[in-house]
Amino acid sequence: MLESNLKAVNNDVKALLRDSQALFQAAAALTGDKAEEMRSRAMLLLDTALTKAREAQADAVVAGKEMVGSAEDYMTENPWCTIAAAAGVGFFLGMALSRR
């Protein structure tokens, strides 16, 4: 769920940035009130993209903290399984690195 939300926000931000770039390029060719209007619209789009990026970052931080909490709970409830899993991972990493 988090991954799909992050992908959606990432796509939205990319689209907003592309639209902003197009507006800035169009505004560069214009002068007067039209150019100012286009610059204002582009700045609004950039502000929206920045806000969405900040929201995505905040969501990722919250989800990361939840995962850390879950991992800590599991390690507290199952210390021997955690030790066995860490030893197994260490063993396989040692085997993989020693073959090189």
Side-chain angles (χ1 to χ4, degrees), residues 11-51:
N11 290 339
D12 288 347
V13 169
K14 285 181 182 177
L16 286 169
L17 289 175
R18 278 193 306 270
D19 292 347
S20 297
Q21 286 175 333
L23 283 172
F24 277 127
Q25 288 172 351
L30 298 176
T31 58
D33 291 338
K34 284 285 189 183
E36 187 59 37
E37 179 186 341
M38 295 201 66
R39 281 189 209 95
S40 297
R41 287 177 49 199
M43 289 303 293
L44 181 62
L45 284 172
L46 287 174
D47 288 341
T48 303
L50 185 60
T51 301

Side-chain angles (χ1 to χ4, degrees), residues 22-97:
L23 283 172
F24 277 127
Q25 288 172 351
L30 298 176
T31 58
D33 291 338
K34 284 285 189 183
E36 187 59 37
E37 179 186 341
M38 295 201 66
R39 281 189 209 95
S40 297
R41 287 177 49 199
M43 289 303 293
L44 181 62
L45 284 172
L46 287 174
D47 288 341
T48 303
L50 185 60
T51 301
K52 285 188 177 247
R54 285 184 182 145
E55 289 172 359
Q57 180 184 12
D59 291 345
V61 167
V62 168
K65 287 181 180 180
E66 289 174 1
M67 285 186 232
V68 167
S70 297
E72 287 177 351
D73 291 344
Y74 180 80
M75 290 187 320
T76 303
E77 294 170 6
N78 305 302
W80 290 110
C81 288
T82 304
I83 291 170
V89 169
F91 175 77
F92 286 117
L93 281 175
M95 293 293 291
L97 293 175

